[in-house]
Amino acid sequence: EDQVTQSPEALRLQEGESSSLNCSYTVSGLRGLFWYRQDPGKGPEFLFTLYSAGEEKEKERLKATLTKKESFLHITAPKPEDSATYLCAVHATSSGTYKYIFGTGTRLKVLA
Amino acid sequence: NAGVTQTPKFQVLKTGQSMTLQCAQDMNHEYMSWYRQDPGMGLRLIHYSVGAGITDQGEVPNGYNVSRSTTEDFPLRLLSAAPSQTSVYFCASSQLSGSGETQYFGPGTRLLVL
């Protein structure tokens, strides 16, 4: 069964305390893995797309990496404004069917 | 560009009523999708479209209809609302660019079915 699992569910960090969020997946026909940021009451905001194992992408304090079974979102020296829920999703196709499967997210709180 | 817009922002329905959630994008994207987001669950794909005149079912299509007569618009219809359809609904559109697929989400419609 296609599945996306994110851990931890919630994470509290002090400002400047680096950490990583995990997204593990089992899916056939993977076309891409996506990271989004979601603030309360808003729609998800696109961060990264990763397509193949070994790929890495960076944006400000965020860096996303991908292996064959999981992806990590590394947050370096986070600031309070990085507080949000981070969502992982996989895009897959199978027999012409379009699948887009989201994890339940990691709620990140960065304390000043 | 306005990006992806959704109306209404909030709606209360009685069981059995019907309504249409509107979604529009001004980025000339081919792909458009509808999701619902419920507490403790990831966003779940309801229906999607790969272009005008082409739609297909996602993971949770029952109770919902869609159509795509233009590139810009992708309305979601609730035929006979049920309390189980209380949720936050997001519309999204996608493009395939040289740097990969980029998906943009609207601000959401919060639906309460009594």
Side-chain angles (χ1 to χ4, degrees), chain B residues 18-90:
Chain B
S18 63
M19 78 161 294
T20 299
L21 280 65
Q22 301 291 345
C23 174
Q25 54 95 3
D26 60 0
M27 296 172 282
N28 201 33
H29 289 170
E30 289 188 345
Y31 295 86
M32 296 187 74
S33 309
W34 276 103
Y35 297 85
R36 58 178 290 172
Q37 187 173 38
D38 301 294
M41 304 184 74
L43 281 90
R44 291 181 291 168
L45 182 63
I46 304 171
H47 286 284
Y48 66 94
S49 169
V50 298
I54 306 171
T55 64
D56 205 345
Q57 296 181 351
E59 180 185 355
V60 288
N62 292 343
Y64 308 95
N65 274 358
V66 292
S67 60
R68 183 98 179 269
S69 57
T70 67
T71 299
E72 293 79 19
D73 300 300
F74 191 43
L76 178 72
R77 297 183 188 85
L78 279 70
L79 308 175
S80 177
S84 60
Q85 293 178 305
T86 293
S87 188
V88 181
Y89 292 85
F90 290 101

Side-chain angles (χ1 to χ4, degrees), chain B residues 12-19 63 78-85 112-114:
Chain B
V12 179
L13 290 179
K14 294 181 180 178
T15 296
Q17 288 184 316
S18 63
M19 78 161 294
L78 279 70
L79 308 175
S80 177
S84 60
Q85 293 178 305
L112 175 63
V113 182
L114 302 174

